[in-house]
């Protein structure tokens, strides 16, 4: 029975709920328990063809030749598809919202970039005939160097995995090599902290392992349309992706779905829909393409591996005064949704804790692994795990109870977040208190009396000063020619991408700043590898602004940049989802 704590935030939450906390039967439950629910694979068609793929046995190789002649003559084979048969043989999911470049072929043409990449598709009368014909395809490869570690991939001279992004990193807004967050003077805060603690956290790829594997059935319909039964989690994403790849108007495709036999994020990439529809278009017959369990486990997109470095400045009384996070998302060979994950990660830094000085650098790196995708809060789940492990280590360093340590550092209503947004409806304090109560974990009377509604705001609501470089930019310390000569004044609001920054008016008697800081475009070089014996470049000793720095001229407005879909996904950029 769900316990509703109505006394908590009673003034902010409407507890007249008609579903949450009540025994309401799900609409789809009777069909599931009586086996009457129809999944995509429960639709029968006369003359159904079966599609199977020839996949690369190599992690990285150039394709010298492809011989499908024997497969084309094999019993039951009706069509063999190669890259040249795909109308638009390059795509990435988020290009639908203008975010990122098309970088992944449906069928490989010149080279393969991960083991299991599709090369040839076989359509035959039966699944057994398709599997037999698959063995007759001859592909000759020239092996190429591989890279499997995210930091190795970003080093100069690393093998180029994805030529669309030759630096092996995703380019944000066609200019930036990573997602960056700067709030306050992290370097100075580390210098005055009583303890500085840094640890590395490594997450492994995880396969979703749905009971129902990825699959699609497509059949010719009337008036030149095609009926598509899909188990996609994002049906309209799959519809538009397929329409783009097969080069038809989206109204020619009738997608039917909504019933998913397990997804968890692993069915958003349209792994089967485009080739299935293309097969139906080229043969005029219904086509079924379903991943078997081995394919699902090996080549279905996993949760991406993530490497996270967390460095904290801690005072003896338990207050965290600085946090720096450097994280690497392993996208695998192609982008898919990793670029979005890095934005979510940046939006979540530094976790649910009020820290006056925060910085982060979040990279998306390409490696010769299977492309990764969404899984259950991806972009936040891993960094949350790392941050909570770090919080336990910080509590030990401060000689504090880990529960009370979290209560001390938790957000209160009115606190300023590093993204220059005021925290509202915070509840970590109360959640920790209830967890301690349920676990019979003893905490002090002071911790029991703490509230998310009190103690916030005031100085904690101010936007701190942030160091600038000699060009008036929030630049990269490793590329500066000298120490910081200026400081982004306290009270400066966020700096929207592709726009001139917006400043608040006078605050605390200080005039509104007149300088216009800009983000610095990254140099065309990769970041240095991590060395635990050496502090990260952005955490070198603090740069002190000169006492009498000459005023900088207001830079000319930058030319308009393409508006990418990133702003639709994150509160970092201050826009609502559309």
């Amino acid at each position: 029975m769900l316990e509703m704590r109505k006394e908590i935030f009673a003034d902010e939450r409407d507890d007249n709920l008609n579903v949450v906390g009540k025994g309401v039967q799900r609409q789809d439950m009777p069909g599931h328990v009586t086996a009457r629910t129809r999944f995509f694979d429960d639709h029968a068609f006369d003359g159904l063809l079966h599609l199977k793929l020839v996949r690369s046995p190599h992690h990285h190789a150039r394709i010298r030749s492809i011989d499908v002649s024997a497969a084309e003559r094999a019993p039951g084979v009706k069509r063999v598809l190669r890259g040249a048969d795909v109308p638009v043989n390059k795509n990435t999911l988020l290009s639908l919202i203008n975010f990122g470049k098309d970088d992944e072929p449906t069928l490989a043409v010149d080279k393969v970039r991960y083991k299991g990449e599709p090369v040839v598709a076989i359509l035959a009368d039966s699944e057994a005939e398709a599997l037999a014909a698959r063995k007759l395809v001859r592909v000759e490869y020239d092996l190429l160097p591989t890279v499997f570690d995210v930091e190795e991939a970003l080093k100069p001279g690393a093998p180029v995995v994805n030529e669309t992004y030759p630096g092996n990193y995703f380019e944000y807004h066609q200019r930036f090599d990573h997602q960056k967050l700067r709030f306050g003077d992290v370097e100075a805060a580390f210098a005055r902290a009583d303890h500085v603690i840094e640890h590395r956290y490594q997450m492994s790829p995880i396969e979703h392992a749905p009971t129902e594997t990825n699959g699609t059935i497509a059949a010719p319909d009337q008036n030149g349309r095609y009926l598509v039964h899909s188990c996609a989690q994002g049906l309209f994403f799959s519809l538009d992706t397929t329409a783009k790849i097969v080069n038809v108007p989206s109204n020619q495709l009738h997608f039917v779905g909504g019933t998913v036999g397990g997804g968890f994020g692993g069915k958003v990439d349209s792994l089967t829909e485009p080739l299935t529809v293309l097969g139906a278009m080229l043969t005029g017959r219904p086509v079924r393409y379903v991943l078997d369990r081995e394919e699902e486990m090996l080549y279905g997109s996993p949760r991406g591996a993530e490497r996270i470095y967390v460095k904290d400045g801690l005072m003896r009384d338990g207050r965290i005064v600085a946090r720096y996070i450097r994280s690497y998302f392993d996208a695998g060979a192609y982008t898919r949704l990793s670029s979005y994950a890095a934005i979510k990660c940046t939006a979540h830094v530094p976790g649910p804790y009020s820290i006056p000085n925060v910085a982060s650098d979040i990279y998306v790196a390409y490696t010769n692994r299977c492309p990764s995708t969404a899984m259950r809060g991806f972009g936040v789940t891993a960094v949350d795990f790392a941050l909570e492990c770090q919080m336990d280590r910080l509590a030990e360093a401060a000689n504090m109870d880990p529960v009370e340590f979290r209560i001390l550092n938790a957000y209160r209503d009115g606190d300023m977040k590093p993204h220059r947004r005021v925290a509202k409806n915070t509840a970590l304090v109360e959640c920790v208190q209830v967890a301690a109560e349920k676990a019979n974990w003893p905490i002090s009377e002071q911790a029991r009396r703490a509230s998310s509604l009190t103690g916030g705001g005031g100085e904690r609501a101010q936007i701190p000063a942030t160091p600038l470089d000699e060009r008036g930019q929030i630049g990269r310390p490793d590329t500066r020619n000298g120490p910081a000569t200026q400081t982004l004044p306290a009270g400066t609001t966020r700096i929207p991408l592709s726009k001139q920054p917006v400043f608040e008016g006078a605050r605390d008697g200080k005039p509104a700043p007149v300088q216009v800081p800009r983000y610095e475009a990254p140099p065309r070089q990769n970041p240095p590898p991590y060395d635990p014996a050496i502090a990260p470049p952005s955490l070198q000793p603090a740069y002190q602004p000169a006492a009498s720095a000459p005023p900088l001229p207001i830079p000319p407005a930058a030319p308009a940049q393409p508006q990418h879909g990133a702003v639709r996904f994150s509160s970092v950029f201050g826009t609502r989802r559309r």
Side-chain angles (χ1 to χ4, degrees):
M1 177 62 183
L2 178 66
E3 178 183 355
M4 301 297 293
R5 291 297 186 96
K6 294 187 177 183
E7 74 278 7
I8 300 176
F9 306 127
D11 57 332
E12 297 182 9
R13 189 182 69 197
D14 179 8
D15 282 330
N16 297 316
L17 305 177
N18 55 15
V19 175
V20 176
K22 295 182 171 62
V24 178
Q25 179 175 290
R26 284 176 52 114
Q27 293 180 349
D28 57 359
M29 187 179 72
H32 289 349
V33 300
T34 60
R36 293 176 179 173
T37 298
R38 299 192 74 188
F39 295 86
F40 86 91
D41 214 12
D42 291 326
H43 297 83
F45 292 89
D46 291 334
L48 183 67
L49 296 178
H50 295 264
L51 187 151
K52 289 295 178 181
L53 289 181
V54 176
R55 297 179 179 271
S56 165
H58 306 297
H59 295 285
H60 197 198
R62 194 167 304 283
I63 299 175
R64 292 181 57 192
S65 65
I66 302 176
D67 183 359
V68 298
S69 56
E72 290 175 326
R73 296 191 301 267
V77 172
K78 301 304 178 186
R79 186 73 187 243
V80 176
L81 303 181
R82 295 174 54 177
D85 297 309
V86 183
V88 180
N89 196 27
K90 215 170 191 182
N91 180 63
T92 194
L93 176 63
L94 294 181
S95 66
L96 293 173
I97 53 175
N98 230 10
F99 181 41
K101 307 171 188 176
D102 290 334
D103 66 343
E104 182 173 5
T106 302
L107 293 174
V109 177
D110 56 339
K111 62 183 287 191
V112 291
R113 297 169 177 86
Y114 69 95
K115 186 175 182 178
E117 181 164 2
V119 180
V120 174
I122 308 289
L123 291 98
D125 288 325
S126 70
E127 191 169 3
E129 289 171 326
L131 291 171
R134 184 172 68 176
K135 298 179 181 178
L136 301 176
V137 176
R138 297 291 178 261
V139 185
E140 293 187 8
Y141 299 94
D142 289 329
L143 298 185
L144 296 172
T146 56
V147 61
F148 300 106
D149 183 88
V150 284
E151 292 183 82
E152 293 294 324
L154 295 179
K155 288 182 179 180
V160 175
V161 175
N162 186 336
E163 286 74 12
T164 304
Y165 298 102
N168 285 345
Y169 55 79
F170 181 82
E171 296 175 6
Y172 286 90
H173 305 276
Q174 301 178 353
R175 297 162 55 196
F176 306 113
D177 62 347
H178 70 291
Q179 287 285 301
K180 178 192 299 185
L181 175 65
R182 297 292 185 269
F183 184 71
D185 194 335
V186 173
E187 299 160 1
F190 279 126
R192 69 173 183 270
D194 295 319
H195 305 282
V196 176
I197 299 171
E198 181 174 13
H199 286 280
R200 162 181 148 159
Y201 302 90
Q202 177 68 53
M203 316 301 166
S204 299
I206 302 174
E207 162 57 27
H208 308 76
T211 303
E212 172 199 53
T213 61
N214 275 273
T216 304
I217 295 177
D221 204 352
Q222 300 180 25
N223 301 322
R225 301 183 77 208
Y226 293 86
L227 176 64
V228 185
H229 290 284
S230 168
C231 62
Q233 287 181 259
L235 203 62
F236 283 96
F237 260 142
S238 290
L239 168 63
D240 288 341
T241 294
T242 302
K244 173 185 174 180
I245 291 174
V246 302
N247 197 27
V248 300
S250 58
N251 61 6
Q252 285 186 222
L253 305 178
H254 176 196
F255 268 60
V256 179
T259 303
V260 181
F264 324 113
K267 292 180 178 175
V268 299
D269 286 336
S270 303
L271 298 181
T272 58
E273 289 82 0
L275 280 177
T276 311
V277 172
L278 180 60
M281 293 173 61
L282 295 178
T283 63
R285 290 173 58 176
V287 175
R288 174 182 180 268
Y289 172 26
V290 182
L291 300 187
D292 61 33
R293 180 56 60 185
E294 180 181 13
E295 288 179 302
E296 181 71 42
M297 295 297 291
L298 294 177
Y299 314 126
S301 303
R303 179 202 292 276
E306 299 175 39
R307 180 172 300 162
I308 303 166
Y309 296 96
V310 185
K311 183 174 181 178
D312 285 314
L314 180 69
M315 305 306 290
R316 290 189 182 89
D317 62 4
R319 291 177 298 112
I320 307 172
V321 294
R323 172 163 285 173
Y324 174 71
I325 295 176
R326 184 159 53 98
S327 178
Y328 300 89
F329 281 82
D330 190 342
Y334 300 108
T335 306
R336 297 199 184 170
L337 283 167
S338 294
S339 54
Y340 168 35
I343 292 173
K344 291 178 64 182
C345 180
T346 304
H348 188 65
V349 171
Y353 303 106
S354 183
I355 302 174
N357 303 280
V358 178
S360 70
D361 294 297
I362 315 297
Y363 295 85
V364 172
Y366 296 98
T367 66
N368 293 114
R369 296 182 183 273
C370 179
S372 58
T373 190
M375 184 180 185
R376 293 286 175 160
F378 72 123
V380 173
T381 310
V383 73
D384 248 352
F385 172 80
L387 292 180
E388 292 309 316
C389 290
Q390 184 81 353
M391 291 296 286
D392 285 341
R393 284 172 159 154
L394 295 176
E396 183 178 0
N399 196 28
M400 286 186 64
D401 178 275
V403 171
E404 297 196 18
F405 181 74
R406 286 169 169 81
I407 291 175
L408 172 66
N409 287 284
Y411 275 134
R412 269 70 169 173
D413 282 2
D415 287 350
M416 181 60 63
K417 296 182 177 181
H419 311 96
R420 294 163 173 79
R421 293 296 187 89
V422 176
K424 300 177 181 178
N425 300 323
T426 59
L428 178 60
V429 171
E430 287 71 21
C431 288
V432 171
Q433 289 168 338
V434 172
E437 175 188 331
K438 296 296 185 184
N440 294 319
W441 188 279
I443 58 176
S444 66
E445 182 62 28
Q446 181 181 2
R448 280 196 295 270
R449 290 199 311 267
S451 170
S452 293
L453 300 177
T454 60
E459 290 186 3
R460 293 162 60 121
Q462 302 303 308
I463 300 175
T466 302
L468 304 177
D469 67 12
E470 68 277 1
R471 290 171 289 178
Q473 298 176 343
I474 302 178
R476 299 157 58 107
D478 54 315
T479 64
R480 292 174 180 166
N481 296 323
T485 58
Q486 198 181 18
T487 298
L488 182 64
T492 307
T493 64
R494 65 181 180 85
I495 304 175
L497 296 175
S498 329
K499 298 179 181 179
Q500 294 294 338
V502 178
F503 294 103
E504 294 181 358
R507 173 179 287 190
D508 299 330
K510 301 175 182 177
V514 296
Q515 298 297 334
V516 182
R518 294 170 293 138
Y519 280 109
E520 176 187 7
R524 286 293 176 177
Q525 62 184 30
N526 296 307
Y530 174 76
D531 184 346
I534 303 175
S538 57
L539 299 180
Q540 297 296 332
Y543 295 98
Q544 298 299 327
S548 57
L552 297 176
I554 297 177
Q561 297 292 327
Q563 291 297 312
H564 297 282
V567 297
R568 304 179 183 179
F569 287 93
S570 174
S571 61
V572 175
F573 305 112
T575 57
R576 295 183 180 274
R577 300 186 185 194
R578 296 193 290 272

